[in-house]
Amino acid sequence: MSSTDDEPPPLSIQDINNIITNLRNLLTSDCAEAEIAVATNTAANNPTGNEQDGSNRTGNEQDGTNKQDGDANQAQETNDEKKEPLYELGKLCKELDYMIRSFQELENLKKSLREPFETLEANVNDIVSDLEKDELRKQVQHNLRVFRNNITRVKILILLQLQAASINSDGNRALQTTFATGEAGDLPHLYGERIFENSYYFKEIEEKYEGLDVRQKLCLLCFSIFPENAEIKKRFLRFWWVGENLIARNGNDEMGDLNDTLTTFVEKRLIEPVLKKNRLQPRSYKVTPIVRSCLIHFAKKEGFFDYDQDGKPIMDFSSCNKACMVKSERATASWFADYLKGNDKDGNSEKPKEQEQYEEQGKLLQGKLSADLVKLQMLFNFPHENTLIRASQQIDKLQTLFNLSKQFPDLPTEWFSKMTGIKVLYLGRWEATAGQARHIEVEDIEFLKGFKNMKNLRLLSLQGISGIPKLPTTLCKLENLRILDLRACHDLEKLPDRIGSLKKLTYLDLSECYLLDYIPQQLNKLSELQVLKGFVILEAKNSCTLDDLSELPSLRKLSVNVNTTKFNIDEAGNALAKFQKLEKLRIAWGWGGMPGKEDSTLDSSSEQQQSKTKKKQASSISSAAAKASTDKVNKGEDKGNRERSAVAAAGEANSKTAKLGGGLRGTANIALMAKKWRRLSMKEREPQNLEGLERLVKLDLQCFPRSEPPTWLVPRKMKKLTNLSIRGGRLGYLNHEDGQKWNADTLRLKFLVNFKMNWKEMQQRFPNLKYLENLRCPRITFCPCDANGVWQKFVQSK
């Protein structure tokens, strides 16, 4: 026999539990026998009887009593010696009880994890079986995501069991209400828990974190300030990281650094992409609760932000150079409440050295806070007075101020102007607007004049803030500003005339500024501007135009809103052809840019023209016949001659009508003739220089007002176009010259009632098509789209 056959089988958890239980019972019985023996000896050495008072005893009796006491003491010492092993046996019983409970908990954990592990096993089997089939490769990707999510759930379940076991131990009775009062399924706060920081999951994430370089670590720590399961937009991360100078260093590509960094985090399972339907690429990311708790620990350790005991960021920047503006969920600091009541309890206590220095500088007058300090305390709610003093002294060192949840981000003018070291000032809304957007409002814009001192500011976001009708001229002194985010500033009416002074500005977002009615021409002086969103074409005098924007040498992405009927899309092709680096273009027609009733469709105008021609034709025939008959009667001709004359007159009228409109059938060609004439006239206005148009990679037209496409929208002039999107409007077709084909591989057609094309024609004209969206376009027929109106080539080919 082999040596392995002699080895006993491994013990199960139940076997170990039974062995420990028997040992405990044996020890318990020994303890009981020892207690009985001790009790018997004690009874023998201390007989019961009536005790006499010492004053009534004789001398002999007293001596006898003393002798009995000595014997009793000796017996007590003997009993104490026998109790010592009894005490040790009792301690061992308690240890064995703890081991029994631990093994019982492990048995319960094993039972609770049986079903999740069976699910993981089924996931693995599905993945293995799908790998053997080429037509199910996409299903493998889906199964991998499901498998990864199930593993995360099991890890969280194990962690919860370990935490519950720790809390239910004898040493942690006081913490039992922490989880007992929580809702089922809620993940407790892991930040600050010692058992979590010693767990395998924390060590695993810590190892991944330490494997990043310094720049990547700082980028990752930005996720630590957001609530659990918050979706952080890719655009917002780009803003913040550019403001912190974490990407696009040394002339590197900004989007390239952004995508590489996010890809690294996703591959390491530190963040998760948020995939939504009809989106080829993720636009948002989030972190799991476990990773978030680890990031809070790392951020607190590095002094990235300051947090409270629950892991929530606070507004105290006295220990770091970054601060979050959060809505007040805690009561006013006790010392400040006492101060407001006029009862300063610490007035007679020893003052901190910092406070004494501050009083010497005149900031504290006769034990009272200055008005500036009161405003600063009301905004940030510092827990201690010396913290307020220290923060006020180093506000010029503050580098990042981020509005996480505050509704009224008005800053005291005195302190706003002292933020000379600020690099990132994000006062606006950061959340995705899928649900109800958070309302943010300022009561007065006077504090914005403090921009003049912010020479280091790189990012300024006022997104979604109401109450800002105009921006102060001091904004134009931000010589290092890279990103200006004014998206959804609904009250904004105009931009500063000297906005061209922002020489380093690369990103300007004016989207959803519906009251904006003036854009200065100096906008074309922004030589480094790469992205311009929300540019409005207006009828205002001296307002910036597309021709002015064509002078921007670095512009890559442009979004245009048309609010005037005088805008001619065909003539705009000449301006678009002048752009040097434009790759992405979106043009949307608003209510002010839509034509009136006089610009109705050609179909309705042709029907009216046909009706008028018919009436005119009938009138010509009847009047000619009546005239001929009257003339012949007056000349006294016979009846036969009158009839021949009437017929001849009728024929003459018909010939005249045929010359005018081609007869009754010829009237149907009037619309076609008008259309040909219009095409010829438009062809004369086609741009001759096609370089700017040939660089376009993505084109998005929204609410296009005509049934005919722009004259420059043809395959010959859009050679690099890979993404074409047309949403809403009256467009009826696309031009195809001499059978030329489009190079686009992505086509989105939405809400086009008049657009007509079938699947066969689409395949012929778009031979490289890989992705199609066809949503509510009733005249686009026979397309093999799914229930969401989406068709993808690789799905269809499989």
Side-chain angles (χ1 to χ4, degrees):
M1 296 178 63
S2 62
S3 60
T4 56
D5 295 337
D6 298 336
E7 296 179 359
L11 295 177
S12 64
I13 295 178
Q14 187 61 42
D15 295 335
I16 298 175
N17 193 3
N18 294 335
I19 293 174
I20 295 177
T21 302
N22 295 333
L23 182 59
R24 185 195 62 178
N25 293 336
L26 180 62
L27 291 177
T28 304
S29 62
D30 290 343
C31 291
E33 292 177 359
E35 287 178 355
I36 293 174
V38 171
T40 303
N41 293 333
T42 302
N45 294 326
N46 297 285
T48 59
N50 295 329
E51 296 182 351
Q52 302 292 331
D53 185 41
S55 60
N56 297 329
R57 295 176 184 175
T58 63
N60 294 333
E61 290 176 347
Q62 186 69 32
D63 294 339
T65 302
N66 293 335
K67 185 178 181 181
Q68 291 179 0
D69 291 340
D71 295 339
N73 292 334
Q74 185 178 1
Q76 184 65 33
E77 291 177 359
T78 304
N79 292 339
D80 290 341
E81 292 177 358
K82 293 182 178 179
K83 282 183 179 180
E84 233 179 274
L86 178 63
Y87 174 72
E88 293 296 330
L89 288 176
K91 288 173 61 178
L92 291 176
C93 286
K94 290 183 178 180
E95 294 293 336
L96 292 176
D97 285 336
Y98 172 76
M99 293 175 64
I100 291 174
R101 290 197 305 271
S102 299
F103 280 111
Q104 287 176 346
E105 290 168 357
L106 289 176
E107 185 68 25
N108 295 334
L109 178 62
K110 178 181 177 182
K111 293 179 181 178
S112 63
L113 293 178
R114 181 178 291 114
E115 183 176 352
F117 275 109
E118 291 176 354
T119 302
L120 294 178
E121 183 180 4
N123 293 149
V124 173
N125 294 333
D126 292 340
I127 294 172
V128 172
S129 61
D130 292 344
L131 284 174
E132 300 174 355
K133 303 175 183 179
D134 293 338
E135 64 273 11
L136 296 177
R137 286 295 174 88
K138 185 183 178 184
Q139 188 64 29
V140 171
Q141 298 294 332
H142 173 73
N143 290 339
L144 285 174
R145 287 197 298 270
V146 174
F147 185 49
R148 192 178 303 118
N149 293 335
N150 288 338
I151 288 179
T152 302
R153 293 191 183 96
V154 172
K155 290 167 67 176
I156 293 176
L157 181 61
I158 294 175
L159 187 60
L160 289 176
Q161 293 286 347
L162 292 176
Q163 284 185 329
S166 174
I167 286 176
N168 290 329
S169 63
D170 293 338
N172 294 303
R173 294 293 183 185
L175 300 179
Q176 289 185 355
T177 56
T178 303
F179 302 106
T181 57
E183 296 181 2
D186 284 353
L187 185 65
H189 293 293
L190 303 179
Y191 169 71
E193 293 288 342
R194 185 178 299 275
I195 188 173
F196 170 69
E197 295 175 1
N198 294 328
S199 65
Y200 162 77
Y201 318 104
F202 181 87
K203 301 297 182 184
E204 179 186 7
I205 297 173
E206 186 178 30
E207 182 179 355
K208 294 178 180 179
Y209 172 77
E210 294 297 336
L212 303 173
D213 58 35
V214 177
R215 182 189 65 84
Q216 292 174 333
K217 288 180 179 179
L218 295 176
C219 290
L220 183 62
L221 293 181
C222 293
F223 289 89
S224 64
I225 68 171
F226 300 103
E228 285 188 6
N229 300 318
E231 296 182 4
I232 300 98
K233 283 189 170 291
K234 182 178 179 179
R235 175 172 54 86
F236 165 75
L237 293 173
R238 175 188 180 183
F239 288 176
W240 193 354
W241 293 350
V242 169
E244 297 278 0
N245 198 22
L246 298 176
I247 58 176
R249 291 181 174 181
N250 302 324
N252 294 341
D253 180 46
E254 185 176 300
M255 292 303 298
D257 285 354
L258 175 68
N259 292 328
D260 292 344
T261 303
L262 291 174
T263 301
T264 301
F265 294 163
V266 172
E267 290 175 350
K268 289 180 174 290
R269 306 289 189 266
L270 295 172
I271 64 175
E272 294 181 353
V274 179
L275 300 175
K276 296 185 178 181
K277 67 177 183 178
N278 300 347
R279 293 291 184 190
L280 298 179
Q281 299 294 334
R283 295 189 178 182
S284 302
Y285 297 85
K286 65 179 181 179
V287 295
T288 62
I290 291 180
V291 175
R292 176 179 175 271
S293 299
C294 295
L295 294 183
I296 293 173
H297 176 87
F298 303 148
K300 178 75 172 180
K301 182 179 179 181
E302 298 291 340
F304 191 72
F305 274 94
D306 201 0
Y307 302 83
D308 61 11
Q309 59 184 0
D310 294 328
K312 297 179 181 179
I314 58 178
M315 295 190 287
D316 185 3
F317 58 90
S318 59
S319 59
C320 58
N321 55 11
K322 304 179 189 296
C324 283
M325 301 177 68
V326 296
K327 61 181 180 181
S328 181
E329 295 181 351
R330 59 180 181 179
T332 304
S334 58
W335 73 269
F336 189 61
D338 294 337
Y339 173 82
L340 294 177
K341 294 177 182 178
N343 182 20
D344 188 0
K345 295 181 180 180
D346 299 330
N348 298 325
S349 61
E350 184 179 354
K351 298 179 181 180
K353 185 177 180 180
E354 298 169 346
Q355 184 171 339
E356 293 178 355
Q357 295 176 354
Y358 215 65
E359 288 181 349
E360 293 177 0
Q361 299 172 4
K363 301 297 182 180
L364 289 176
L365 303 177
Q366 298 179 355
K368 293 184 178 180
L369 296 175
S370 64
D372 295 353
L373 288 177
V374 171
K375 292 179 181 179
L376 191 65
Q377 174 62 27
M378 293 180 67
L379 180 65
F380 289 96
N381 196 21
F382 294 107
H384 306 288
E385 185 175 2
N386 59 343
T387 306
L388 169 64
I389 304 300
R390 186 167 62 251
S392 63
Q393 290 177 335
Q394 61 185 39
I395 196 169
D396 58 329
K397 299 179 182 179
L398 185 65
Q399 295 184 4
T400 300
L401 183 60
F402 183 79
N403 183 7
L404 190 63
S405 58
K406 206 167 187 64
Q407 184 177 0
F408 301 99
D410 301 70
L411 291 168
T413 306
E414 302 83 356
W415 297 110
F416 191 74
S417 59
K418 294 178 182 179
M419 297 180 183
T420 56
I422 195 79
K423 292 182 179 180
V424 175
L425 184 59
Y426 204 102
L427 301 180
R429 185 172 58 232
W430 62 269
E431 302 93 336
T433 55
Q436 185 177 2
R438 175 166 58 103
H439 177 72
I440 306 178
E441 183 178 355
V442 294
E443 298 179 356
D444 189 6
I445 62 173
E446 188 69 20
F447 73 95
L448 296 179
K449 293 182 179 180
F451 285 145
K452 62 182 179 181
N453 298 326
M454 300 180 180
K455 304 299 183 182
N456 298 317
L457 188 63
R458 295 170 57 91
L459 165 62
L460 173 61
S461 176
L462 304 176
Q463 181 182 156
I465 299 182
S466 301
I468 304 179
K470 64 178 181 179
L471 296 172
T473 56
T474 54
L475 175 72
C476 303
K477 296 183 178 181
L478 301 176
E479 54 189 29
N480 281 313
L481 189 65
R482 263 69 172 179
I483 296 177
L484 178 57
D485 180 17
L486 303 175
R487 185 185 185 93
C489 289
H490 300 308
D491 296 326
L492 186 62
E493 299 177 2
K494 61 180 299 185
L495 297 177
D497 290 329
R498 299 179 58 189
I499 194 172
S501 302
L502 304 176
K503 298 299 183 181
K504 294 186 178 180
L505 193 67
T506 61
Y507 194 109
L508 175 59
D509 194 349
L510 303 173
S511 304
E512 300 179 36
C513 296
Y514 301 117
L515 296 183
L516 190 63
D517 57 6
Y518 175 73
I519 296 181
Q521 287 184 343
Q522 273 210 1
L523 199 65
N524 64 353
K525 303 297 182 183
L526 302 175
S527 57
E528 296 189 15
L529 190 65
Q530 299 179 15
V531 179
L532 175 57
K533 291 186 176 182
F535 177 76
V536 185
I537 296 179
L538 304 163
E539 297 183 14
K541 187 178 181 180
N542 297 327
S543 185
C544 192
T545 63
L546 276 181
D547 284 314
D548 297 327
L549 291 183
S550 64
E551 300 179 12
L552 296 174
S554 304
L555 192 64
R556 297 184 297 101
K557 186 174 182 179
L558 175 62
S559 172
V560 178
N561 295 328
V562 180
N563 282 340
T564 174
T565 56
K566 295 181 180 180
F567 176 74
N568 191 311
I569 186 62
D570 299 313
E571 295 178 354
N574 294 319
L576 295 175
K578 299 177 184 178
F579 283 86
Q580 302 176 24
K581 294 185 178 180
L582 188 62
E583 297 177 354
K584 298 180 180 180
L585 174 64
R586 183 184 71 86
I587 304 178
W589 280 260
W591 178 255
M594 299 300 291
K597 296 181 179 179
E598 64 275 10
D599 296 322
S600 57
T601 59
L602 288 176
D603 294 339
S604 60
S605 62
S606 61
E607 291 178 359
Q608 295 176 1
Q609 185 65 26
Q610 290 179 11
S611 177
K612 292 180 180 179
T613 304
K614 291 180 181 179
K615 293 180 179 180
K616 185 176 180 180
Q617 196 174 25
S619 176
S620 299
I621 295 175
S622 60
S623 61
K627 182 179 180 181
S629 177
T630 304
D631 291 343
K632 296 301 180 180
V633 169
N634 293 335
K635 293 180 181 179
E637 296 180 353
D638 56 7
K639 181 179 179 180
N641 292 334
R642 289 198 303 268
E643 292 177 354
R644 285 192 296 269
S645 298
V647 173
E652 183 180 359
N654 282 333
S655 64
K656 292 180 180 179
T657 305
K659 292 180 181 179
L660 290 173
L664 290 175
R665 295 182 180 179
T667 56
N669 296 324
I670 293 179
L672 296 177
M673 293 173 62
K675 183 181 294 186
K676 291 180 179 179
W677 176 85
R678 188 175 182 181
R679 283 183 180 177
L680 291 174
S681 62
M682 290 178 179
K683 194 170 184 180
E684 296 178 355
R685 299 194 298 267
E686 288 183 3
Q688 300 300 322
N689 180 14
L690 304 178
E691 294 182 1
L693 294 173
E694 288 179 350
R695 295 189 185 95
L696 281 180
V697 176
K698 182 177 180 180
L699 176 63
D700 185 3
L701 301 177
Q702 299 181 14
C703 301
F704 191 76
R706 293 185 347 204
S707 60
E708 296 179 355
T711 55
W712 45 266
L713 185 57
V714 290
R716 175 174 58 87
K717 301 175 183 178
M718 316 289 286
K719 295 181 180 180
K720 293 185 179 180
L721 189 68
T722 60
N723 191 320
L724 176 60
S725 177
I726 306 174
R727 293 178 282 179
R730 302 172 179 173
L731 189 65
Y733 62 94
L734 291 175
N735 285 325
H736 301 275
E737 296 180 347
D738 302 328
Q740 293 185 357
K741 304 181 184 301
W742 295 89
N743 294 323
D745 56 14
T746 301
L747 181 61
R748 292 180 172 89
L749 304 173
K750 300 180 180 180
F751 311 105
L752 299 175
V753 179
N754 300 323
F755 194 89
K756 185 177 181 180
M757 185 180 292
N758 58 45
W759 177 242
K760 184 177 180 181
E761 294 174 342
M762 191 173 295
Q763 287 182 307
Q764 292 174 350
R765 298 175 181 178
F766 294 86
N768 300 326
L769 191 63
K770 296 180 181 179
Y771 182 87
L772 169 67
E773 281 189 40
N774 174 21
L775 183 61
R776 297 188 182 182
C777 301
R779 304 185 71 178
I780 299 179
T781 55
F782 303 111
C783 293
C785 299
D786 59 16
N788 296 321
V790 176
W791 173 86
Q792 299 184 61
K793 185 175 183 179
F794 63 88
V795 174
Q796 181 67 15
S797 62
K798 298 302 180 182

